[in-house]
Amino acid sequence: MKALTWQGKRDVRVEEVPDPRIEEPTDAIVKITSTAICGSDLHLYEVLGPYLKPGDILGHEPMGIVEEVGSGVTGLKPGDRVVIPFNISCGSCWMCQRQLYAQCETTQVTSEGKGASLFGYTSLYGSVPGGQAEYLRVPQAHFGPIKIPQSGADERYLYLSDILPTAWQAVKYADTPPGGTLAVFGLGPVGQFCARIGRHLGAGRVIGLDLVPERLDLARRHGIEVLDVSEMSDVPSALIDLVDGRGPDAVIDAVGMEAHGSPVGKLAQTAAGLLPDKLAQTMTDRVGVDRLSVLHAALKGVRRGGTVSLSGVYGGEADPMPLMEMFDRGIQLRMGQCHVRRWTDEILPLLSGDDDPLGVEDLRTHRLPLSDAPRAYEMFQKKEDGCIKVVLAP
């Protein structure tokens, strides 16, 4: 089959690789019909290369048609249409019983001290072949795949794999009071959904912050108040002034480790990228290599007693934090990989009707064949051609 493989920093290629096969009774094989590029895939393209090896198959936002199931898979059969969550969970361990699916004890990568295995996402998370491919082996298929209606465009359901439940969790964690104000840093795909979900779940005012004109325009089209941070010298102070002189009730950081405006973090990431893999891994594990400008702005811009919800990915072990200010202002901080299956039953009814309350069909800017994936990665990273979200068709 054809699959997108990582070959080096900013070097991904579509290659012929062996077809996946059933390896465990709880496996399924899925023929992929649509698979998206996630913003966190760009971390693999740029920063997290030391945890990849040439030939690793990328991608963790896939959906398709079940081709084959193992003997231990019930409730799923060939021909079913499914979306595959990005994290791999058994559904029955101690963590899964508490709906902490991203911490599944059956698939935890204990050798690396990490949580549940992820599709297509480095040795830190199990080196499981990803879904930017024609076919995908799905472990724990007795629990993970989300069955969806046979009718309707793929993009009505595709985002259940990651970015839609990730945004839903971020908004739930933000815990904006009814009628309160939510600010969202970063209007990429997750940030767009955070803003829309915030309005849907009862925030009285939602403010989106970004510096890319196309992203600002898209959010504005969905009734979001937007701020262009490139025109602001002090973002936290501007947020505080804008919201009653005290700041928003909740702030979501939907940007993560590669934020603009963090020269020291960028230098550390660049330096790590020049080292041999083992040394680069040590630097990432033990030194702060994240760009923290957005996280710090979120912590300084939220009101006293407010909540900061983190959905952007961070990877440093020694990142400096303004703890005195966080403590003095009584800020709550919530974060973590999304527990996808915890939220999908809540979200699915919003996708199955004739309306589209979350605007899932108004996010994708590019649909390209899998063969164009290398160009799509470059375009997405450089934010060229108005690129906000890419869907690939194997």
Side-chain angles (χ1 to χ4, degrees), residues 186-188 191-192 195-196 208-229 231 362-363 365 385-388:
L187 292 172
Q192 296 285 342
R196 300 175 197 180
L209 300 93
D210 207 295
L211 45 68
V212 180
E214 293 85 359
R215 293 178 171 186
L216 294 166
D217 289 342
L218 179 57
R220 194 181 288 116
R221 189 160 76 230
H222 286 266
I224 307 303
E225 183 179 346
V226 299
L227 295 176
D228 185 344
V229 297
E231 299 175 352
D362 186 28
L363 183 73
T365 51
D385 194 32
C387 183
I388 295 175

Side-chain angles (χ1 to χ4, degrees), residues 276-304:
D277 284 355
K278 286 296 182 184
L279 291 176
Q281 290 174 13
T282 300
M283 183 173 178
T284 300
D285 285 344
R286 303 188 180 212
V287 182
V289 297
D290 292 316
R291 305 186 201 175
L292 298 173
S293 59
V294 167
L295 177 55
H296 285 182
L299 291 166
K300 292 174 181 292
V302 72
R303 68 159 169 82
R304 288 178 176 270

